[in-house]
Amino acid sequence: MSLLQIKNLHVTVGGHEILKGIDLKLNPGEVHSIMGPNGSGKSTLAQVLARRQTYEVTQGEVLFNGKDLLAMKPEEAACEGLFMAFQYPVEIPGIGNTYFLRSALNAIRKYRGEDEMDAMDFLPMFREKLKLLEMDEKLLNRSVNEGFSGGEKKRNEILQMAVLQPKLAILDETDSGLDIDALRIVAKGVNGMRSPERAMLVVTHYQRLLNYIVPDYVHVLVDGRIVRSGGAELALELEEKGYSWTETEARQTPVSA
Amino acid sequence: MTTAIQNVQDYLENFTEFEKRATGRNLPWLRRLRDDAFARFCEVGFPTTHDEDWRFTNVSAIARTPFLLKEKGKIQLSKKDLAGGAIEGAPAQLVFVDGQFVRECSHFANLPRGVTIAGLKDQIANNPDAIEAYLGHYLDTRRDPFSALNTAFAEDGAYVHVPRGIVLDGPIHLLFVSTAADVPSMMHPRNLLVFDTETQGTVIEEYVSLGSGTVLCNSATELIAGESATVSHYMIEREHKEAFNISTLRIQQGRSANVTSHSLLLGGGLVRNNVHPVLAGEGGECLINGLFLGDGRQHLDNYMHVEHASPHCSSRQFYNGILDGHAHGVFHGRIVVHKDAQKTDAKQTNRNLLLSDDAQIDTKPQLEIYADDVKCTHGATIGQIEENALFYLRSRGIDEISARRLLLFAFASECLDRMQPGAARDHSERLIHEHLLSVANHLPGQSSHTQTERSWEEVG
């Protein structure tokens, strides 16, 4: 059974149709990349999967682990094993990083019928993950993302992913705003989490990230539709020819909406 | 008008009875203080919303209710009833039941030598000379009818005197308990806190209820901070929702004195919290920090009146409010900079979260500046729980109610962060936590209140 199955997904925002029939299937162990120009619907897809309620699904179905994902609240999707690394991680003054992440982990463990983790067990594990992402321990005592640089915020997303160990990780433009060193660290963190049980959906505008996180499949999203799918080499082709190449193709496909 | 006259008649009867038996009635200075204050109250009566200071708070429910002074000697309360009311790490706790000092329930043996701590009534009876120079010298009975009323009935409360150079380790806890009342009853606790030169200490005034019934608690505290004294004051209101609570804190700051006022309004039906510091000596600093959490039909009014009377003083006001249900919050921040108070640095910030469509906040800055070289800023925000932050927390597996509660606690903890670490702050943190657990247990649109509560305009 595939881990994520998207069938004919249509999504509108404020009366505008953004996704116009997406079909996609991810099996455990696979890394897929969604590439596309600005405004193509990449982030919308990521947010709908993470169950943001501002989007209206008008048609289609999404199965996550065989369950109806579109019927889930964000917290239920998370507890079922879905994780989205935000394009713009939110600053939350007054809530400590450590406290937040332990609360999240325990909420998920509780949902799965596991024992909650106390601070004594949590901290050593957390410290180890911090090291993996080359993050300063000082961040332990700071509020969630408050005063973090852009790079620190993105690393913090991957840190959370490393702690929460999801079945499906969606990375929403995790590369944007990262310098090459931060990009390498983030990629190392992500690659370290590739496993036969886990699938990843890497959403990006640029091919650069895919040099470090090499996907099994690449899909090109243009104007709310997947216009092309292929292997990792498709990303290189896209880099060479630019999105205009696929956009031309998209325009040649008749639009029914 | 008829109600006003009838009302003054009720108070006259109360006052006449009170004067016949009040401790200190034979002291000419104290008698004059009470008489003058009562005359002033009769002259002006209760304020109305036409008064600028009371524009957002209608006290007609208080004015219409015939309150009786709780009689002496009817208190039946054991230490057991008060269990849980203690603060760990407080070297002194004074318990007042219906406004009267209860020695059996209090302890204050662990204070440094030289510190005087007593019920005000005992102090008036035993050594009135020590307080004559302070009592009633600072509270503004001309402008505020409730202060006048308190002074007219001033008898019991706490008296604390910390002599020069003494540093108190833990907080002095003043616990005011109101008990069940068959008929509407009133009390007027009066506190006098005198901190001499180069002293340091913390005082917590906490108001709680045991049992229900309409009660008016109209307290007034004069806090004198001498030269270079560092004093923290906490006002914690957590009475039941039938309670009217009017409190006035009048702070007199000497040269280079540093005073912090923290207010925590969690309970009470109609609450008015007056904080009135006067920076009377050069180089004084004052921080006024507050948090008010209202739901149901609570009305929580914070009236600040910061007076800069000397040069080179700074004041900071930070008030955060969270309002749910039909709660109504008020923040009125008045800053007066006198003519000679050059180099004044005054700042005022009021931040509010409204959790329901029916919750309401009135926030009003009022700057009166008569000096020319000053820095005064003010700002207010009114918002809701940030959807982005809520989604972020939920996307990590935290359910919506817990996520909302976390965000509320984060907002509230801005006020906690301004408190010095220690017993008083730990106590405040615990109370805020418990309060949010008990109120923030529903999603917007679903009321947690099944019983209908009265609006204060409807009472009477």
Side-chain angles (χ1 to χ4, degrees):
Chain A
M1 188 180 66
S2 48
L3 182 65
L4 182 75
Q5 195 171 6
I6 304 174
K7 295 177 199 165
N8 190 32
L9 183 67
H10 289 252
V11 173
T12 57
V13 180
H16 292 279
E17 188 164 48
I18 307 290
L19 298 181
K20 302 169 179 172
I22 302 282
D23 290 281
L24 193 64
K25 206 190 230 182
L26 269 75
N27 293 311
E30 293 176 352
V31 174
H32 290 238
S33 175
I34 301 261
M35 296 186 70
N38 289 333
S40 60
K42 303 186 300 285
S43 278
T44 300
L45 178 61
Q47 303 253 342
V48 167
L49 294 177
R51 303 305 304 123
R52 188 157 202 144
Q53 316 288 312
T54 37
Y55 300 91
E56 194 193 344
V57 176
T58 50
Q59 243 189 89
E61 169 178 46
V62 180
L63 293 177
F64 178 47
N65 243 341
K67 293 179 187 166
D68 180 5
L69 180 67
L70 299 178
M72 294 180 198
K73 295 173 182 169
E75 56 268 34
E76 287 166 343
C79 290
E80 287 286 340
L82 187 142
F83 178 93
M84 179 179 74
F86 280 54
Q87 182 180 3
Y88 303 110
V90 183
E91 294 193 17
I92 312 182
I95 300 181
N97 242 329
T98 316
Y99 181 80
F100 158 58
L101 204 44
R102 191 160 67 87
S103 304
L105 181 64
N106 280 335
I108 293 173
R109 290 175 71 101
K110 205 173 148 191
Y111 182 89
R112 294 178 186 161
E114 297 166 18
D115 285 339
E116 293 191 14
M117 215 182 220
D118 63 25
M120 296 295 280
D121 293 330
F122 180 78
L123 269 180
M125 183 270 282
F126 193 30
R127 287 218 166 87
E128 192 188 308
K129 308 283 185 195
L130 272 171
K131 228 174 271 168
L132 193 74
L133 286 151
E134 301 179 28
M135 286 172 81
D136 195 330
E137 283 216 9
K138 277 181 203 142
L139 297 182
L140 284 175
N141 305 320
R142 302 236 304 257
S143 291
V144 178
N145 292 322
E146 195 188 24
F148 285 28
S149 69
E152 280 173 335
K153 281 182 184 166
K154 294 299 175 78
R155 272 190 272 173
N156 198 25
E157 295 293 291
I158 306 305
L159 173 75
Q160 292 173 19
M161 173 174 146
V163 169
L164 300 179
Q165 296 282 325
K167 294 191 186 98
L168 172 66
I170 301 165
L171 309 184
D172 188 8
E173 306 219 14
T174 298
D175 50 334
S176 63
L178 288 187
D179 63 36
I180 199 72
D181 294 325
L183 189 67
R184 281 201 189 103
I185 295 166
V186 163
K188 195 179 92 186
V190 172
N191 285 328
M193 292 189 63
R194 289 177 85 145
S195 89
E197 294 82 40
R198 182 173 293 125
M200 295 187 189
L201 188 61
V202 182
V203 175
T204 181
H205 184 99
Y206 303 103
Q207 181 268 340
R208 187 178 69 148
L209 177 67
L210 305 182
N211 288 336
Y212 297 93
I213 304 171
V214 182
D216 302 305
Y217 301 95
V218 173
H219 311 278
V220 181
L221 188 65
V222 176
D223 193 25
R225 275 175 241 268
I226 291 175
V227 295
R228 222 166 216 272
S229 294
E233 71 288 345
L234 180 56
L236 293 168
E237 200 180 341
L238 209 58
E239 180 79 355
E240 205 176 294
K241 297 183 180 170
Y243 282 114
S244 54
W245 160 60
T246 53
E247 275 167 5
T248 321
E249 287 193 0
R251 241 171 267 129
Q252 282 157 3
T253 330
V255 177
S256 55
Chain B
M1 229 25 225
T2 0
T3 23
I5 290 163
Q6 173 58 42
N7 190 266
V8 165
Q9 188 62 37
D10 287 340
Y11 281 91
L12 184 61
E13 280 166 28
N14 270 300
F15 185 68
T16 314
E17 281 302 304
F18 172 75
E19 277 222 309
K20 279 186 205 155
R21 59 151 184 84
T23 305
R25 62 184 179 278
N26 300 324
L27 296 165
W29 65 268
L30 186 53
R31 193 168 187 115
R32 196 176 321 116
L33 186 69
R34 286 169 176 157
D35 286 348
D36 288 353
F38 190 70
R40 178 63 187 166
F41 171 72
C42 293
E43 198 182 317
V44 291
F46 284 105
T48 69
T49 48
H50 298 295
D51 288 292
E52 195 53 33
D53 290 354
W54 293 87
R55 215 173 111 193
F56 305 111
T57 297
N58 184 346
V59 297
S60 59
I62 295 177
R64 282 199 302 260
T65 308
F67 292 103
L68 277 178
L69 266 189
K70 271 250 176 175
E71 268 181 61
K72 198 190 165 211
K74 280 193 176 172
I75 297 155
Q76 284 173 338
L77 211 62
S78 67
K79 276 194 175 177
K80 214 174 132 201
D81 292 320
L82 298 167
I87 295 176
E88 213 174 306
Q93 184 183 43
L94 269 60
V95 175
F96 300 85
V97 177
D98 297 325
Q100 296 164 49
F101 177 51
V102 183
R103 181 180 293 275
E104 307 83 74
C105 299
S106 306
H107 68 88
F108 43 90
N110 299 329
L111 290 171
R113 193 185 281 269
V115 173
T116 307
I117 184 161
L120 186 68
K121 189 173 170 174
D122 296 340
Q123 184 67 29
I124 292 170
N126 302 329
N127 185 7
D129 295 349
I131 56 173
E132 189 184 342
Y134 301 109
L135 190 69
H137 285 243
Y138 304 102
L139 198 66
D140 189 351
T141 51
R142 298 296 301 169
R143 189 178 171 113
D144 180 12
F146 284 98
S147 290
L149 198 57
N150 175 286
T151 302
F153 290 100
E155 185 182 35
D156 216 349
Y159 171 60
V160 175
H161 175 226
V162 182
R164 188 181 179 128
I166 286 184
V167 173
L168 299 179
D169 276 338
I172 292 173
H173 185 204
L174 312 177
L175 184 63
F176 295 87
V177 184
S178 58
T179 61
D182 306 334
V183 292
S185 58
M186 64 175 173
M187 51 186 164
H188 304 276
R190 178 64 169 244
N191 304 308
L192 179 61
L193 314 172
V194 184
F195 284 80
D196 287 350
T197 302
E198 288 163 5
T199 52
Q200 192 176 320
T202 299
V203 177
I204 303 171
E205 272 179 49
E206 185 167 4
Y207 295 85
V208 300
S209 312
L210 281 176
S212 56
T214 306
V215 57
L216 165 65
C217 178
N218 172 35
S219 71
T221 299
E222 287 171 298
L223 164 58
I224 295 102
E227 250 180 60
S228 300
T230 305
V231 186
S232 291
H233 180 274
Y234 288 71
M235 154 70 192
I236 302 175
E237 159 61 0
R238 49 193 200 92
E239 288 175 288
H240 62 59
K241 292 192 181 167
E242 283 173 276
F244 300 98
N245 185 293
I246 313 286
S247 69
T248 302
L249 172 64
R250 170 68 173 84
I251 304 166
Q252 182 74 7
Q253 285 188 232
R255 192 185 171 93
S256 300
N258 186 330
V259 177
T260 319
S261 150
H262 304 285
S263 302
L264 208 55
L265 308 186
L266 306 174
L270 174 59
V271 178
R272 163 81 163 209
N273 168 38
N274 299 304
V275 181
H276 180 187
V278 177
L279 293 130
E282 278 194 35
E285 276 180 53
C286 187
L287 168 69
I288 305 175
N289 176 38
L291 177 68
F292 50 103
L293 307 179
D295 68 347
R297 291 204 174 266
Q298 277 181 289
H299 182 105
L300 307 174
D301 177 353
N302 300 281
Y303 183 89
M304 307 295 117
H305 177 185
V306 178
E307 258 186 85
H308 281 265
S310 272
H312 296 284
C313 291
S314 80
S315 66
R316 294 284 177 273
Q317 299 174 52
F318 296 102
Y319 263 70
N320 281 19
I322 302 177
L323 300 165
D324 200 356
H326 289 76
H328 184 178
V330 180
F331 177 81
H332 187 147
R334 185 164 172 240
I335 300 174
V336 180
V337 180
H338 291 226
K339 201 169 110 247
D340 300 326
Q342 301 295 0
K343 303 287 179 193
T344 284
D345 179 5
K347 193 179 168 186
Q348 180 189 95
T349 308
N350 169 226
R351 307 211 318 127
N352 304 287
L353 279 185
L354 298 186
L355 304 184
S356 78
D357 293 342
D358 297 315
Q360 188 186 337
I361 177 79
D362 287 294
T363 177
K364 183 190 172 198
Q366 187 182 347
L367 307 182
E368 294 165 38
I369 301 170
Y370 304 102
D372 48 24
D373 186 10
V374 303
K375 203 162 78 184
C376 288
T377 62
H378 63 87
T381 62
I382 299 168
Q384 287 149 350
I385 283 191
E386 221 215 297
E387 286 301 322
N388 272 334
L390 192 61
F391 177 61
Y392 192 71
L393 294 174
R394 293 178 71 190
S395 79
R396 297 300 181 248
I398 298 170
D399 69 87
E400 189 174 357
I401 286 178
S402 304
R404 292 177 70 86
R405 203 180 271 154
L406 264 177
L407 291 171
L408 294 182
F409 190 76
F411 183 76
S413 60
E414 289 177 12
C415 295
L416 282 172
D417 290 345
R418 293 186 199 105
M419 299 173 181
Q420 290 292 323
R425 174 170 157 171
D426 293 347
H427 183 63
S428 306
E429 182 165 357
R430 189 174 59 81
L431 292 178
I432 293 170
H433 235 278
E434 282 172 5
H435 187 83
L436 287 178
L437 276 179
S438 69
V439 297
N441 52 9
H442 63 284
L443 297 176
Q446 314 170 348
S447 176
S448 64
H449 302 274
T450 42
Q451 90 243 36
T452 39
E453 288 171 81
R454 294 176 298 175
S455 145
W456 291 109
E457 285 74 26
E458 294 159 13
V459 174

